[in-house]
Amino acid sequence: MDIFCKIINKEIPAEIIYEDREILAFKDIHPAAPVHILIIPKKHIESVNVLADKDADLVGKMILTAKKIAQDLQISEKGYKLLIRTGEDGGQEVPHLHLHLIGGARLYEEIRPV
Ligand code: AMP
């Protein structure tokens, strides 16, 4: 079982920001910025690569959840980043789909090959 499924099952702790039937949002354990929250589906989906058409509403809900959290944390006006890493070249470490919400400071933009 991946580490995010363990957080969903409350087998390991996390600082939960939002939870409903389908979605869980919690603070990233190694924040890259003042606000760094991970929004995940409770259903185990390994990555964007295995998303199906029937998951479209769920993915939409992940983004809308990020929007609401950003509003609640009052970072909407200044802006933020939403990031989904996918697979080895994308730098994905945890094999459970997750949307990073990163903000609270002006962020460097560095996307380049290793
Ligand atoms: P990624 O590289 O996109 O797969 O991102 C994985 C993220 O999960 C990293 O930013 C980690 O800091 C974060 N992470 C790993 N384990 C935990 C945990 N137990 N609780 C919260 N965040 C975690």
Side-chain angles (χ1 to χ4, degrees), residues 32-37 75 79-82 100-107:
V35 173
H36 191 167
I37 290 163
I75 61 168
Y80 47 86
K81 284 190 193 200
L82 298 179
H100 294 254
L101 166 61
I102 306 169
R106 191 71 192 261
L107 302 168

Side-chain angles (χ1 to χ4, degrees), residues 43-57:
K43 171 183 164 186
H44 179 78
I45 298 172
E46 188 171 317
S47 79
V48 169
N49 276 339
V50 295
L51 278 174
D53 288 352
K54 65 178 164 48
D55 298 319
D57 283 354

